Amino acid sequence: MTQTLVEAEAQAQTAEEHIEGLPAGFGEGLAGRVAFWIAFTFSLFQLWAAAYGTLASQVVRAMHVGFLLLLGFVLLGNLVAKTTAGRLWFWSLGVVGFATGLYNWIFYEELILRSGFLTHVDLAVGTIVILLVFEGARRLMGLPLTVISGIFLLYCFFGQYFPDPFVHRGYDYEQIIEHFGFGTEGIYGTPIYVSAAYIFIFVVFAAFLERGGMLGLFNDFALGLVGSWKGGPAQVCVMSSALMGTISGSGVANVVASGQFTIPLMKRFGFRSAFAGGVEATSSMGGQIMPPVMGAVAFIMAETLNVPYADIVKAALIPAVLYFGVCFWMVYLEAGKAGLAGLSKAELPNPWLAVKEHWPLILPLAALVYLLFAGYTPIFAGTMGLALVVVLLLGMPLAARIGPLAFRIVFWLAIGLAASAFLKFGVNILVLLILAMIAACFFVRGGRETLAICRDAMAEGAKNALPVGIACAIVGIVIGTLTLTGIASTFIGAIIRIGETHLFLSLVLTMITCLILGMGIPTIPNYIITSSLAGPALLELGVPLIVSHMFVFYFGIMADLTPPVALACFAAAPMAKTSGLKISIEATKLATAGFVVPFMAVYTPALMLQDAGPMAATWGYPVEVAYVFTKACFGIALWGMAVVGYLRARMSVVERLVAFAAGASLVMALPWTDELGFALGIALVAYHVLRTRRPKRLDPAAGTA
């Protein structure tokens, strides 16, 4: 079992990098080693900037983009280019891109002083960085996001010739280049700030945990805990993806990381290929709504809304439980319908033994969650969580050289006290501790191997951060266009006019916008664009602030599951050996909660622990939350029965229609619909149980009546 998991993780790394636009590794020979150390230096710079914060924010943003361009183009040269001329071209682009970051650093004060009166050299640098970001995004993220951003940029240049209401006053070349190439509302806007300050650290944090064996722990724990349930292999897939979502917010990466192991396992135990792929895609995309990382959107959302990060996580808790609860439920129903049992307990690992053996890996994650909810900033919590992972990994070979158990306990207590001292004495204590442990690891058995693990995690973390960083950079073009031209107000006004009489119709239009945009672009830029357009409109219509942004976020995720593009489903297709379209149809059924919960939260914000409703005034807020949660669970469970057509036995067409109607009644927020939904649902379940109850077998000795 362990060997299988190791092989799956090795395959997953290769698959993930292919999905993100780059083959595995850093390249061969000297060029590969240089690329590796560029990635390592990138991580080192970001961690230093996060830990000490002595550089101006604009400099950190510019250097972040510079490193992204350097590493991205160097890797393209090493791994994609076929000729020497091609490799030289990509390397040249990378060096020029990095030079734009250095230019912003070296001339930082001068650029501020001559704001609005940039020199020809300034304009040339601004033009170059914009062009390089577009080229980097095209190479690493594909055409859709690049084309969308290009359309917005062209609108800045030519929007004065558009018909009303899209016409703007017109902007000259210098103003556009300064806005996008130097200001804080273009390439160096909020998305790239969040990428540099928060996202990068958490990506490296996840890389360290993965290198340390966290994925193996998650898989063993999930196998042992739910592998014996009905439909066990698919239940394992759901739980392992939920656990992986706590450290890795990339849905597609989750598909290929766990799908290599779970999809063949599900198929081997009798699940249909399309359903197996759908389970993997649906549960993996759910990782993006699983606190604390949440696909990195949580950090962007907190920064955009200027609210504590803990508030975002709190709003996501119940929807995440519902999402994965529905996945478990649908798997249970499908397994029952197909007559599939769970795995044999004899062949499953002990989940608690896995935790006992690897419990130290949980400590940094627990510390991260504590710091986030204790009110510390994400940048501080992420930096300290990462430092604790490094301390833990470096301490393992040192502790192994200590003989008696009592001495090892004393060693870990001393390390723990020294590490926790950062809360009072600052980050320097942790830095000195890590440097001392690095020095000690050179002289103990296994120490140098541990140092290699840490070194590789630093480089892999930087490479894994490339797609997110480039996406944040180019989506700044879209945000910059909205702020420069004011075109967002046209879209917002249209939604508000519709919503004044039909809020539901406004929500549906917003959902369709998210799904269409999500067909070609990842979740993060999708959220940034649609929240900028639709978020303010929904707020004007009375939707609570966080709920309006969560609404947009959820449907950005659902876009990777819905036909015809369904990126996560097509990533699962090679492993399931069936078409991505068939998988996406199954995934859409499985992801019922992802489509329903956002609408329910708009009408009953207590589902996201937001504004209280009428029930709270009479019974109290906890009662309202419990009632809304129970209603959502029952409604979605009924819809699952309607979709699968099974509960204790196969359901008739009439039963499925009643189940759907009862579930829809519970989702609606109209007078008496809750009562109707509960009555219909309870009556249906009671009828089905009575209909499928097995008749009592007669006792042969008693004879017949």
Side-chain angles (χ1 to χ4, degrees):
M1 183 67 69
T2 303
Q3 182 63 28
T4 304
L5 292 175
V6 170
E7 291 173 356
E9 289 175 29
Q11 294 169 344
Q13 290 177 357
T14 302
E16 176 180 347
E17 288 161 340
H18 276 290
I19 288 295
E20 302 292 9
L22 290 170
F26 289 86
E28 298 179 353
L30 178 61
R33 290 194 295 274
V34 172
F36 178 91
W37 286 108
I38 288 172
F40 180 88
T41 306
F42 187 9
S43 290
L44 201 62
F45 168 80
Q46 289 294 157
L47 295 177
W48 171 74
Y52 289 97
T54 55
L55 286 179
S57 175
Q58 185 76 0
V59 172
V60 174
R61 301 181 199 199
M63 289 301 297
H64 186 71
V65 174
F67 266 115
L68 288 170
L69 295 174
L70 174 62
L71 180 59
F73 283 120
V74 163
L75 289 175
L76 287 167
N78 288 357
L79 303 173
V80 177
K82 304 298 183 183
T83 65
T84 302
R87 285 190 287 273
L88 288 174
W89 170 249
F90 281 120
W91 274 75
S92 299
L93 292 181
V95 171
V96 171
F98 185 70
T100 63
L102 291 176
Y103 186 86
N104 277 270
W105 191 351
I106 295 170
F107 299 104
Y108 170 65
E109 293 183 358
E110 290 90 333
L111 286 170
I112 291 177
L113 292 175
R114 58 178 180 253
S115 177
F117 303 93
L118 298 183
T119 65
H120 292 300
V121 176
D122 296 337
L123 293 173
V125 171
T127 303
I128 288 170
V129 74
I130 292 171
L131 292 175
L132 290 179
V133 165
F134 268 94
E135 177 63 7
R138 183 180 74 86
R139 294 283 185 175
L140 294 171
M141 306 301 297
L143 278 176
L145 180 57
T146 311
V147 170
I148 290 171
S149 300
I151 291 171
F152 275 83
L153 183 60
L154 289 174
Y155 176 71
C156 292
F157 281 102
F158 303 108
Q160 63 268 34
Y161 305 115
F162 279 42
D164 192 64
F166 302 105
V167 65
H168 61 64
R169 64 180 180 84
Y171 307 94
D172 59 31
Y173 182 81
E174 290 80 2
Q175 187 175 0
I176 292 174
I177 295 302
E178 180 172 9
H179 184 77
F180 289 109
F182 290 98
T184 56
E185 293 182 341
I187 287 174
Y188 303 129
T190 298
I192 207 67
Y193 163 71
V194 176
S195 175
Y198 308 152
I199 297 174
F200 190 96
I201 296 170
F202 279 80
V203 171
V204 176
F205 177 76
F208 268 90
L209 286 179
E210 290 173 10
R211 288 277 175 173
M214 182 63 91
L215 296 186
L217 169 61
F218 284 163
N219 280 319
D220 283 349
F221 183 77
L223 273 169
L225 195 65
V226 301
S228 60
W229 293 7
K230 185 181 289 188
Q235 306 287 19
V236 169
C237 172
V238 175
M239 173 159 279
S240 63
S241 294
L243 292 172
M244 285 178 61
T246 61
I247 62 169
S248 169
S250 172
V252 175
N254 284 356
V255 170
V256 293
S258 59
Q260 300 279 349
F261 169 68
T262 57
I263 292 177
L265 186 63
M266 284 186 274
K267 291 177 63 178
R268 192 160 64 246
F269 275 81
F271 284 101
R272 294 176 288 113
S273 296
F275 185 80
V279 171
E280 179 57 56
T282 304
S283 53
S284 291
M285 290 308 297
Q288 294 189 83
I289 62 173
M290 191 69 182
V293 175
M294 293 177 60
V297 168
F299 306 118
I300 296 176
M301 194 182 298
E303 189 68 30
T304 302
L305 303 182
N306 194 27
V307 299
Y309 173 82
D311 288 357
I312 306 297
V313 173
K314 182 179 72 173
L317 281 175
I318 291 179
V321 170
L322 288 172
Y323 185 95
F324 284 103
V326 169
C327 289
F328 280 119
W329 176 242
M330 298 289 278
V331 166
Y332 178 85
L333 295 176
E334 182 73 21
K337 184 179 180 180
L340 303 176
L343 298 165
S344 170
K345 287 189 177 182
E347 62 180 298
L348 296 175
N350 185 328
W352 308 113
L353 181 61
V355 173
K356 181 180 178 182
E357 291 177 351
H358 302 287
W359 65 268
L361 291 172
I362 302 173
L363 295 180
L365 189 59
L368 172 68
V369 173
Y370 166 77
L371 290 171
L372 288 171
F373 278 90
Y376 292 95
T377 63
I379 188 170
F380 180 83
T383 305
M384 294 305 106
L386 177 56
L388 291 176
V389 176
V390 175
V391 168
L392 182 68
L393 293 178
L394 294 176
M396 287 181 177
L398 300 178
R401 302 295 295 168
I402 301 173
L405 176 61
F407 288 175
R408 289 202 297 273
I409 293 174
V410 171
F411 169 80
W412 282 115
L413 285 175
I415 292 294
L417 289 173
S420 62
F422 75 87
L423 286 172
K424 183 175 182 180
F425 299 107
V427 71
N428 284 334
I429 294 292
L430 263 179
V431 172
L432 292 174
L433 176 63
I434 290 172
L435 290 176
M437 296 177 76
I438 289 174
C441 281
F442 276 103
F443 304 102
V444 300
R445 182 183 302 171
R448 298 195 178 193
E449 290 81 355
T450 301
L451 292 176
I453 289 174
C454 295
R455 177 202 64 200
D456 294 347
M458 292 275 281
E460 284 293 337
K463 184 178 181 183
N464 293 342
L466 265 179
V468 177
I470 288 291
C472 287
I474 195 166
V475 84
I477 297 291
V478 177
I479 304 303
T481 301
L482 299 180
T483 58
L484 181 65
T485 65
I487 185 61
S489 61
T490 302
F491 186 87
I492 293 167
I495 292 182
I496 291 174
R497 284 192 295 274
I498 295 172
E500 284 175 346
T501 53
H502 301 286
L503 173 60
F504 181 76
L505 184 57
S506 287
L507 295 175
V508 171
L509 290 174
T510 303
M511 175 189 74
I512 293 172
T513 302
C514 295
L515 293 177
I516 292 174
L517 273 177
M519 289 180 184
I521 63 177
T523 305
I524 289 177
N526 188 357
Y527 161 74
I528 294 171
I529 294 170
T530 50
S531 65
S532 301
L533 292 170
L538 295 180
L539 183 63
E540 286 288 326
L541 294 173
V543 180
L545 184 63
I546 292 180
V547 173
S548 65
H549 280 250
M550 281 289 186
F551 185 92
V552 169
F553 173 39
Y554 271 58
F555 285 110
I557 293 173
M558 292 301 103
D560 279 338
L561 298 176
T562 51
V565 177
L567 181 58
C569 299
F570 280 89
M575 293 169 278
K577 293 182 171 54
T578 188
S579 76
L581 184 60
K582 291 181 179 178
I583 292 175
S584 69
I585 293 172
E586 295 293 336
T588 303
K589 297 177 184 177
L590 286 161
T592 307
F595 291 96
V596 174
V597 168
F599 282 94
M600 291 186 70
V602 169
Y603 291 100
T604 52
L607 193 63
M608 289 186 178
L609 302 178
Q610 299 302 302
D611 298 354
M615 182 177 288
T618 306
W619 300 96
Y621 189 63
V623 173
E624 181 182 17
V625 171
Y627 171 76
V628 172
F629 177 70
T630 303
K631 183 179 78 164
C633 288
F634 192 37
I636 295 172
L638 287 167
W639 272 5
M641 292 157 50
V643 169
V644 178
Y646 183 88
L647 183 55
R648 285 165 53 95
R650 289 182 180 269
M651 302 176 70
S652 66
V653 174
V654 174
E655 286 178 316
R656 295 175 72 171
L657 290 173
V658 172
F660 179 82
S665 296
L666 289 168
V667 170
M668 294 178 185
L670 300 173
W672 298 103
T673 52
D674 285 2
E675 291 82 354
L676 177 63
F678 275 116
L680 275 176
I682 293 171
L684 171 67
V685 172
Y687 168 77
H688 182 81
V689 169
L690 289 172
R691 182 178 70 81
T692 58
R693 180 183 294 176
R694 294 179 181 177
K696 292 184 178 179
R697 302 177 65 180
L698 295 175
D699 186 352
T704 58

